[in-house]
Amino acid sequence: MVLTFLVPRSSKLKLSVKNIELIKKGYDVRSFGTGDKVKLPGSAPDKPNCYEFGTSYEEIYNDLMKKDKSLYTQNGLLHMLDRNRRIKPEPEQFQLAKEKFDIIITCEERVYDQCLEYLESRIPEENTPVHVINIDIQDNHEEATIGAFMICELAALLSGTEDLDNDIDELLHEFETRCQRNVLHCVQFY
C-alpha cells in the first residue's frame, strides 16, 4: 500500500534525520512545523533565533552566517539548513498545509497534541481518515538515529498492509512490543 506520511516537529533539529531516512527509503514524506514561528537554537538556550514561516532557508542560512558562522557551523545548524534548502525552499507550517496525509508520525507528545488539537478544530469535509501516531524520541544524536530507524520500520509495517484502517491497532501493538516504546494513536478525519 502506498501511503503518504507527515512528520511534523516543533523545533527538533536532530530529529530531521528521520525525514531524510524515510526519503532515502522511497517513502512519500513531508515535514512541517507546528509552532507559530520557526525557532532555531541561538547563542544561549534562552535566546533562540526566531523566523516567520515563509522565511526561506536561504535567508535563515545567510542570517546565521552573519550572526556567528563559527557557532552555527560547530553546532551543525548551517549544515542542516544547507541540506534543507536543497529539499524545499522554506519551512512550512502544519496548520496551513493543504495536503492530506494517510499517516502523521510525531516524536514528541506536545507535537502530537498540537496536531490533534488542530485536526479536531476543523470540520471534516471528506471524512478521509488520517492516523496520528506518536513515538517519544529525545532530541539528541543517538536517539534521533535510533528514532529514524524505528520510524522507517513503522512506515514499512504500515505500508505492508492492504487494510490499514482494520489492521493498524494490531500493527502498532506489534511495533510497541518489538521496539519497547509506548505509542499513542488517534484517528482524525479530513
Side-chain angles (χ1 to χ4, degrees), residues 16-179:
S16 66
V17 167
K18 69 190 174 305
N19 297 347
I20 302 304
E21 287 302 314
L22 286 167
I23 291 167
K24 283 181 185 174
K25 296 207 183 275
Y27 292 105
D28 182 0
V29 62
R30 298 286 308 277
S31 179
F32 291 84
T34 57
D36 60 345
K37 292 191 183 325
V38 177
K39 293 179 186 172
L40 302 173
S43 57
D46 63 336
K47 296 180 182 175
N49 290 292
C50 296
Y51 302 92
E52 295 294 325
F53 280 99
T55 306
S56 72
Y57 282 119
E58 186 74 26
E59 291 171 275
I60 297 169
Y61 183 92
N62 291 333
D63 183 51
L64 296 181
M65 285 281 286
K66 288 180 203 165
K67 285 182 178 177
D68 192 337
K69 180 181 178 182
S70 177
L71 171 67
Y72 297 119
T73 299
Q74 182 181 1
N75 71 7
L77 199 49
L78 290 176
H79 173 72
M80 182 203 71
L81 290 167
D82 184 48
R83 181 190 65 216
N84 287 355
R85 68 184 175 178
R86 286 181 266 138
I87 296 172
K88 63 183 182 178
E90 61 195 33
E92 299 170 278
Q93 188 176 27
F94 171 65
Q95 292 84 345
L96 300 177
K98 301 273 189 257
E99 299 91 339
K100 293 176 175 56
F101 302 91
D102 298 305
I103 309 281
I104 297 174
I105 301 175
T106 64
C107 300
E108 179 182 6
E109 194 167 343
R110 181 173 62 93
V111 175
Y112 175 80
D113 291 340
Q114 287 173 326
C115 290
L116 291 180
E117 182 180 311
Y118 171 69
L119 291 166
E120 289 170 355
S121 74
R122 300 175 62 210
I123 297 172
E125 296 172 3
E126 301 170 14
N127 285 325
T128 305
V130 56
H131 294 273
V132 186
I133 299 168
N134 183 73
I135 308 165
D136 276 328
I137 298 172
Q138 294 176 359
D139 191 27
N140 62 54
H141 184 71
E142 182 179 343
E143 276 287 306
T145 302
I146 292 168
F149 288 111
M150 284 193 310
I151 290 172
C152 285
E153 182 179 333
L154 179 59
L157 197 61
L158 298 175
S159 295
T161 182
E162 291 298 317
D163 191 350
L164 180 66
D165 295 333
N166 284 330
D167 296 343
I168 193 164
D169 289 334
E170 185 178 318
L171 294 171
L172 289 176
H173 179 70
E174 177 185 326
F175 177 79
E176 274 184 317
T177 303
R178 192 177 324 150
C179 294

